[in-house]
Amino acid sequence: MINPTIFLETFFGFVDFPRKSCSPSSIMTQCHTSTLIRFFLLLLTTLDLFVSPITASSFDHRYNVGDTVPLFVNIVGPLNNPSETYQYYDLPFCSPDEVIPKKETLGEVLNGDRLSNTLYTLNFREDKSDKILCEKKLKKDDITRFINAISNEFYFQMYYDNLPLWGFTGKTEADSWTGGNNKNGPTYYVFKHLQFDALYNDDQVIEIRAFSDPNHAVDITDKTEIDITFTYSISWNSTSIDYKNRMNKYSRASLLPTQRQIHWFSLVNSVVIIALLMGLLITLFMRHLKNDLKKYSSGDEEQDKEVGWKYVHSDVFRCPQRMALFCAVLGTGTQLFTIVCFLFLLAFFGVIYPYSRGIISTSLLVFFILTSPIAGYTSASFFSQFSETGWERCVLLSGILYIGPLSITMFLLNTISMSIGATSSLPFTTIIMIILSYTLISIPLLAFGGIMGYRFRSKFQAPSATKISPREIPLLTWYRKTHGQMLISGLLPFSAIVLELHNLYATIWSYKILTLPSILLITFLLLLVLVSLLSVGMTYIQLTVEDHQWWWRSVFRGGSVAIFMFGYCVYYYSKSNMNGFMQSTFFFCYNFLFCYAFFLMLATISFQSSWIFVQHIYNAIKSE
């Protein structure tokens, strides 16, 4: 696993930065390269300061026999509802006289982690058997809470030397099988003994597991008050696994042959679809386009009438309605695309890996703030090609196009979490810190990017003059209209990524671990290629029927993939075991934000592909 700071230090040792000041002739070469590399270093260094990733390192986490290894309890929650988690001591477990919360990073707070101390004493390489944790008298309210937790299959999570471990609070048994005394329903048992199995290599902890022993369970079904003695045991065994590889065990579930076959089937499926689509475009689309160019250049009027897309040359570069909003979509989509690229970069550096607590949340927040200039620059520079005034409104829309729905949704979810006491609710100080970070850093960077985009704008020169009055669009069949093209342009790319999308949803909303970023990256690249090819093909078809309003339609064509993605999340929820108001709200709200981000990102890719294509074909036949 590569530490980003060490990597960049090594990288910078081989980079010869220019020592002289930047001359005007070298601005686009050495100085810009140096600035970009320095910015990238600052980005990853900021991440390294913001978070404390659970990176396996040979230089720390070393213990002598008998040393106390830190154990923290974290959360409890229903197995089928990953978003519905509560603090560990919300259930009447054995607790210290003073519960001391562990100081957490921003990412851990955003992730819903709430670590605190515990009564368990698990010394390094010291076996213990039936050690008494506490003797606890459970009253009626405590028993009710345990019964509710057991009926909802509550699990608990702990961290031992930064290694996660899980266990269940209890079990239920049908009365007909157990022969119990409760004739009106199942029998509820609380586990009173926890067995820890730990592995070590020399002086470092490699692995730990927790088992709730079903042979040490107490029936609490019809009790109004009961005394329970909670106990625990721990056994230590040696292993040859290196400390740097100790996190690999959490990815074993994703490396089974079945999972590998699914990944490869998804990849092959995407490649086949792209191959077929490219073959179709090459044999039909390119042939017709070349024939059209030859007909137009030959000057034959009889043949020239067959070329439909050349008749709209004076309207095809006409700015669409709501130009400021259009450019804001491009700016925000470019920003989100940059964030996805940075996330893939961190995954390949090893910063993001299974159970890297809070790093993804922190990365998203930091990247979103630091990439604000990209949104401002892209939107302002594109808008300023067609108009010298009004770019400020365009930049403003870029700043609220995604953060607006995000803020409203997060406020709603945070209110719901606070009302039921879930750990997903953000503390007031965290909310203030996020607001201040966005206000004091992101907004100035957004404005700076907009100013730079306006200053360094380039004037767009259309191949032909745009008429004052737009050409009348002929009556179109349903499949040539926006909805028909969205159906085609969205369904094909979605069918190519649906299997990998299922794995991604299972990682986010279930307990599958997705540990093959290379496959995910290839699938993402295939998605971009498909969206680009379909956008170009559909734009050409649209122009051949003399429909010049292609700007917004290219946006909706690319973004339609996200609509199918959201539709699949509805199907995924219907097939899952998730239930309850909170989990349903979290599931659909987070998936809405996820799919909305993909809508903006793919819409930008779709338009840029069509934009390059349209400029190319009309530059080739420049009208007089």
Side-chain angles (χ1 to χ4, degrees):
M1 189 167 300
I2 302 175
N3 185 299
T5 306
I6 297 176
F7 171 82
L8 286 172
E9 287 176 356
T10 306
F11 176 76
F12 272 68
F14 292 94
V15 176
D16 185 17
F17 291 107
R19 298 182 179 180
K20 298 181 180 179
S21 60
C22 297
S23 62
S25 61
S26 64
I27 288 179
M28 298 303 293
T29 55
Q30 291 180 332
C31 294
H32 275 192
T33 304
S34 172
T35 302
L36 289 175
I37 296 177
R38 291 178 188 275
F39 174 75
F40 185 67
L41 174 65
L42 175 63
L43 195 65
L44 287 184
T45 304
T46 304
L47 270 179
D48 201 40
L49 294 175
F50 253 106
V51 298
S52 300
I54 316 172
T55 53
S57 170
S58 59
F59 302 101
D60 55 3
H61 295 271
R62 295 186 177 276
Y63 306 96
N64 297 317
V65 176
D67 285 352
T68 300
V69 183
L71 172 69
F72 296 97
V73 294
N74 189 15
I75 56 174
V76 293
L79 182 65
N80 296 319
N81 295 344
S83 299
E84 185 183 351
T85 56
Y86 307 92
Q87 296 192 41
Y88 182 84
Y89 293 120
D90 284 350
L91 290 181
F93 290 118
C94 296
S95 62
D97 295 333
E98 181 183 3
V99 177
I100 304 175
K102 180 182 179 292
K103 187 177 180 180
E104 297 172 327
T105 64
L106 175 62
E108 291 171 349
V109 175
L110 294 175
N111 207 39
D113 289 335
R114 300 295 184 269
L115 277 68
S116 56
N117 60 328
T118 180
L119 291 175
Y120 291 98
T121 303
L122 307 180
N123 296 331
F124 184 68
R125 294 179 60 177
E126 280 191 0
D127 293 344
K128 293 183 180 180
S129 179
D130 296 326
K131 185 73 173 178
I132 295 178
L133 186 65
C134 76
E135 296 180 355
K136 194 172 185 67
K137 179 185 288 293
L138 298 182
K139 298 182 179 180
K140 186 176 181 179
D141 290 342
D142 298 331
I143 294 174
T144 301
R145 281 189 285 172
F146 264 128
I147 290 177
N148 177 67
I150 295 170
S151 62
N152 287 284
E153 297 183 276
F154 268 49
Y155 71 95
F156 63 82
Q157 185 188 50
M158 301 178 179
Y159 278 92
Y160 184 72
D161 193 38
N162 281 339
L163 291 173
L165 57 149
W166 300 265
F168 285 97
T169 59
K171 65 175 181 177
T172 59
E173 290 185 356
D175 196 68
S176 58
W177 291 94
T178 61
N181 298 323
N182 181 26
K183 303 301 181 183
N184 298 321
T187 305
Y188 298 95
Y189 294 91
V190 168
F191 294 133
K192 67 174 185 177
H193 183 78
L194 193 59
Q195 172 68 43
F196 296 95
D197 288 343
L199 299 178
Y200 68 91
N201 186 349
D202 194 16
D203 57 355
Q204 295 177 314
V205 181
I206 303 300
E207 182 179 335
I208 187 168
R209 292 174 289 177
F211 300 94
S212 299
D213 194 343
N215 296 323
H216 293 76
V218 179
D219 183 0
I220 60 171
T221 308
D222 295 322
K223 303 294 191 299
T224 57
E225 190 174 289
I226 186 174
D227 294 320
I228 300 180
T229 301
F230 289 94
T231 59
Y232 68 96
S233 302
I234 181 171
S235 61
W236 290 87
N237 295 284
S238 63
T239 181
S240 59
I241 300 175
D242 292 334
Y243 182 83
K244 63 182 180 181
N245 298 322
R246 69 173 187 165
M247 302 303 294
N248 292 348
K249 76 161 206 155
Y250 299 104
S251 62
R252 290 173 190 163
S254 298
L255 298 178
L256 295 176
T258 304
Q259 299 296 339
R260 284 185 175 272
Q261 291 173 7
I262 292 176
H263 275 292
W264 283 113
F265 181 78
S266 174
L267 182 61
V268 171
N269 179 49
S270 302
V271 172
V272 169
I273 292 178
I274 285 185
L276 293 176
L277 184 60
M278 290 184 67
L280 178 65
L281 288 176
I282 291 174
T283 56
L284 298 178
F285 166 68
M286 293 302 294
R287 180 183 300 174
H288 282 288
L289 180 59
K290 288 182 178 180
N291 290 337
D292 290 346
L293 292 173
K294 288 180 180 178
K295 291 175 184 178
Y296 186 76
S297 60
S298 66
D300 191 337
E301 295 184 359
E302 294 297 325
Q303 292 181 340
D304 200 37
K305 293 180 181 178
E306 300 178 8
V307 185
W309 54 270
K310 71 175 179 55
Y311 290 122
V312 295
H313 63 81
S314 59
D315 295 296
V316 73
F317 294 104
R318 183 185 304 277
C319 294
Q321 296 180 346
R322 307 180 191 86
M323 186 61 178
L325 177 61
F326 184 88
C327 295
V329 170
L330 299 184
T332 308
T334 305
Q335 178 188 12
L336 295 172
F337 177 72
T338 306
I339 293 173
V340 172
C341 293
F342 278 137
L343 288 178
F344 276 116
L345 197 61
L346 290 185
F348 283 108
F349 277 167
V351 179
I352 297 177
Y353 60 95
Y355 294 102
S356 51
R357 286 185 289 137
I359 291 184
I360 294 181
S361 301
T362 305
S363 302
L364 288 173
L365 178 62
V366 173
F367 285 152
F368 191 85
I369 291 175
L370 296 182
T371 55
S372 296
I374 296 177
Y377 180 88
T378 304
S379 57
S381 62
F382 191 84
F383 182 88
S384 298
Q385 292 184 58
F386 305 93
S387 176
E388 294 186 358
T389 60
W391 63 271
E392 298 89 350
R393 182 169 177 265
C394 175
V395 174
L396 176 62
L397 288 174
S398 299
I400 63 176
L401 192 61
Y402 189 77
I403 198 65
L406 175 65
S407 301
I408 295 173
T409 303
M410 295 305 296
F411 175 78
L412 171 65
L413 297 181
N414 201 59
T415 303
I416 295 174
S417 299
M418 292 179 64
S419 65
I420 64 174
T423 60
S424 53
S425 60
L426 297 179
F428 180 74
T429 54
T430 302
I431 297 175
I432 294 299
M433 186 178 67
I434 294 175
I435 293 176
L436 289 177
S437 299
Y438 184 78
T439 305
L440 300 179
I441 302 177
S442 183
I443 293 179
L445 288 177
L446 178 70
F448 174 76
I451 294 173
M452 291 297 103
Y454 173 73
R455 283 195 172 186
F456 295 99
R457 67 190 183 279
S458 58
K459 190 68 176 178
F460 175 70
Q461 297 292 336
S464 59
T466 301
K467 293 182 179 179
I468 299 177
S469 300
R471 183 185 181 91
E472 183 179 354
I473 299 175
L475 186 65
L476 302 175
T477 54
W478 70 270
Y479 58 87
R480 294 184 185 271
K481 296 181 179 179
T482 303
H483 296 89
Q485 289 196 353
M486 287 177 65
L487 177 64
I488 298 173
S489 300
L491 184 59
L492 282 177
F494 171 76
S495 63
I497 66 168
V498 63
L499 290 178
E500 198 63 30
L501 184 66
H502 174 82
N503 293 329
L504 185 61
Y505 281 161
T507 301
I508 299 174
W509 300 108
S510 186
Y511 299 98
K512 176 182 170 61
I513 304 173
L514 189 60
T515 58
L516 295 176
S518 56
I519 299 296
L520 196 60
L521 175 61
I522 294 174
T523 304
F524 179 69
L525 294 177
L526 293 177
L527 173 64
L528 299 184
V529 172
L530 276 172
V531 169
S532 299
L533 290 176
L534 284 169
S535 179
V536 170
M538 291 295 180
T539 299
Y540 173 71
I541 293 174
Q542 180 181 351
L543 295 177
T544 56
V545 295
E546 302 177 26
D547 181 3
H548 56 81
Q549 295 180 349
W550 64 274
W551 293 59
W552 274 111
R553 193 173 297 181
S554 66
V555 167
F556 291 124
R557 279 195 295 260
S560 62
V561 180
I563 299 177
F564 284 92
M565 292 170 62
F566 188 80
Y568 184 79
C569 90
V570 176
Y571 170 79
Y572 183 88
Y573 182 85
S574 66
K575 295 298 182 180
S576 70
N577 295 320
M578 291 182 281
N579 58 78
F581 173 74
M582 176 187 173
Q583 180 61 37
S584 302
T585 306
F586 268 70
F587 179 85
F588 288 109
C589 285
Y590 274 125
N591 275 286
F592 164 75
L593 295 175
F594 175 76
C595 295
Y596 179 47
F598 264 83
F599 179 92
L600 296 174
M601 182 170 54
L602 296 178
T604 301
I605 299 298
S606 176
F607 170 76
Q608 294 291 358
S609 302
S610 295
W611 175 249
I612 295 173
F613 166 74
V614 170
Q615 290 186 88
H616 174 73
I617 62 173
Y618 283 99
N619 279 323
I621 58 148
K622 278 195 175 181
S623 301
E624 298 180 359

